[in-house]
Amino acid sequence: MAKKKNADVWAEAKKRCILKAVDIQVARELGMSPKSLIKSIPSKSQQWKAPVKVWVGKLYEDKFGRVIDNKPALTEDKREKQWTLLQRLRIFQMRSCRFNE
């Protein structure tokens, strides 16, 4: 029987624990193995147990004193697009208010 490759095992842990790439990175920084993540999935009788994502985040915060944010930072292009869309929406709302009067 062939052993699974390391990337395959991490991918399975990511899928079964419902984790994002950032959560996998945090688990690796903590020195966890994919097997330990899979074993830590709470069963139905363990409702007191936090989900793996929350548990790993809490351990990381306790060890390093900071929280990893899962939201990607906006680039200048995205920020500019959002601003122009917001301005267009406001103009549209102002125009529609005039017609309703």
Side-chain angles (χ1 to χ4, degrees):
M1 180 180 223
K3 289 187 177 181
K4 288 187 176 181
K5 298 204 184 237
N6 197 21
D8 294 338
V9 179
W10 278 107
E12 182 185 352
K14 181 179 177 182
K15 181 180 176 183
R16 289 184 61 189
C17 298
I18 312 169
L19 300 173
K20 294 183 180 180
V22 175
D23 301 321
I24 295 293
Q25 177 188 355
V26 167
R28 284 183 172 178
E29 287 180 22
L30 287 170
M32 295 180 165
S33 68
K35 185 177 179 180
S36 68
L37 293 177
I38 292 171
K39 285 174 44 177
S40 299
I41 297 173
S43 67
K44 293 187 187 263
S45 64
Q46 296 175 322
Q47 293 183 358
W48 53 270
K49 204 175 197 183
V52 176
K53 182 176 189 170
V54 175
W55 175 64
V56 169
K58 179 71 172 131
L59 288 175
Y60 188 84
E61 184 181 352
D62 290 345
K63 185 171 184 176
F64 296 108
R66 58 191 163 118
V67 179
I68 297 292
D69 190 14
N70 287 334
K71 296 179 184 175
L74 288 177
T75 61
E76 287 296 321
D77 294 337
K78 287 184 180 180
R79 189 174 293 134
E80 191 173 314
K81 285 180 183 178
Q82 279 186 344
W83 180 250
T84 56
L85 285 173
L86 183 62
Q87 287 177 332
R88 288 180 183 172
L89 179 64
R90 287 180 181 161
I91 291 170
F92 177 75
Q93 287 174 344
M94 287 173 48
R95 287 180 182 169
S96 65
C97 288
R98 287 187 209 154
F99 291 119
N100 290 336
E101 291 177 353

